[in-house]
Amino acid sequence: MAIRAVIFDLGGTLIDWPDWDEDVLRRWGLSYEYLCRKVPDRQWPEKEYYVDAMRGAELAHWQRVNTIQASATPEEVLQEGFQVLNCTVSATELRIALDGYGQAVNGWSMVFPDAVPTLLSLRKQGYRIGLLSNTWWAAAWHNSDLATHGLDSLLDVVLYTSELPHSKPHPEVFRLVSKLLEVDPVECVMVGDRLIDDVSGALGAGMRGIWKKTPYPWPEPSHIQPTATIIQLAELLPLLETLNS
């Protein structure tokens, strides 16, 4: 059956966060400093403990994604960090901590140079275009990145798993995005940089899965066979022509 819709992963596929592992702790530190400025009349834990607890909560979330395809909201992730610190926070204080982290990561992302031209070409050819991202971040944080890089107007449907009951590779999130795109799963192709989350999830939902191979050390199980493999998004257009021929 002909492909009518293309669904993209976000991080590592359309945009990226340079030096993530090297810079993520500094970003958590910035959020701590923001919290202390906004709520100065409270005795907060030491900065290093805050950073370790929040990064630990973030990693614990991703472990649950990997094992049971769980999802979580930003509030749930930060609340878990505060629980590790034995620190009770009000709804207002939690919101301030979230605002601090949102500001800390604002402007961090970069867009791959062939992302916008590829989406423009897909739109000109009449494809429906979707985004399905595994994330605990607030939609507003990601939407800011999309707008900054000129991607927001090129996407028909945008889904973040922080707003869904499950994360990729759970089949329900793939079925939902195809439903919102108003196409059958067999008419969709998923493009992503992770074999397990993106490719196997798409294949399991009846879609085709294109692996955008990157230098990141994501697992590469030999039993997952993508429909095709690309290195650059610019390779996608001629590939789709071949798949639809």
Side-chain angles (χ1 to χ4, degrees):
M1 187 172 290
I3 296 168
R4 296 176 53 208
V6 183
I7 305 161
F8 291 92
D9 169 57
L10 184 57
T13 303
L14 293 176
I15 66 176
D16 209 2
W17 289 267
D19 303 319
W20 176 276
D21 290 331
E22 295 80 5
D23 209 25
V24 66
L25 297 181
R26 185 180 70 86
R27 305 280 174 168
W28 279 117
L30 291 173
S31 77
Y32 174 83
E33 294 167 6
Y34 180 89
L35 178 62
C36 291
R37 288 197 305 273
K38 292 295 183 179
V39 191
D41 56 346
R42 175 162 180 183
Q43 186 68 38
W44 295 105
E46 294 295 325
K47 180 178 179 179
E48 63 179 299
Y49 297 128
Y50 177 94
V51 170
D52 287 346
M54 292 305 172
R55 180 57 175 157
E58 184 178 23
L59 292 173
H61 160 72
W62 289 117
Q63 181 62 30
R64 290 189 291 270
V65 170
N66 292 336
T67 55
I68 58 173
Q69 295 91 59
S71 67
T73 65
E75 291 81 3
E76 289 169 338
V77 171
L78 265 71
Q79 189 66 262
E80 183 175 342
F82 281 117
Q83 288 171 358
V84 170
L85 291 165
N86 293 316
C87 183
T88 301
V89 292
S90 67
T92 298
E93 290 168 336
L94 181 60
R95 172 51 56 188
I96 291 171
L98 286 166
D99 288 345
Y101 185 76
Q103 291 190 30
V105 300
N106 186 42
W108 187 1
S109 69
M110 54 156 280
V111 65
F112 290 108
D114 51 358
V116 170
T118 298
L119 267 61
L120 281 169
S121 296
L122 289 171
R123 183 169 290 283
K124 288 178 182 178
Q125 294 188 19
Y127 287 100
R128 298 279 287 163
I129 306 174
L131 175 73
L132 178 59
S133 175
N134 266 7
T135 184
W136 65 267
W137 283 16
W141 304 345
H142 283 306
N143 288 341
S144 176
D145 286 334
L146 294 180
T148 296
H149 298 307
L151 295 167
D152 53 338
S153 63
L154 302 176
L155 298 164
D156 298 303
V157 171
V158 174
L159 284 180
Y160 304 115
T161 57
S162 55
E163 299 183 318
L164 302 175
H166 306 287
S167 294
K168 295 180 292 186
H170 197 287
E172 284 304 313
V173 298
F174 292 90
R175 293 176 186 137
L176 177 58
V177 70
S178 69
K179 179 180 179 181
L180 294 175
L181 286 167
E182 300 180 333
V183 295
D184 193 273
V186 298
E187 299 173 298
C188 297
V189 61
M190 175 79 199
V191 182
D193 65 318
R194 302 197 187 207
L195 277 176
I196 296 176
D197 297 9
D198 301 312
V199 174
S200 74
L203 296 175
M207 300 179 180
R208 277 163 275 197
I210 296 177
W211 182 31
K212 184 193 176 195
K213 191 171 183 178
T214 70
Y216 287 117
W218 309 138
E220 299 182 13
S222 59
H223 70 279
I224 300 176
Q225 296 297 315
T227 306
T229 300
I230 60 175
I231 304 297
Q232 305 290 335
L233 289 174
E235 302 171 54
L236 185 59
L237 271 298
L239 174 59
L240 290 175
E241 292 179 7
T242 300
L243 293 176
N244 276 333
S245 61

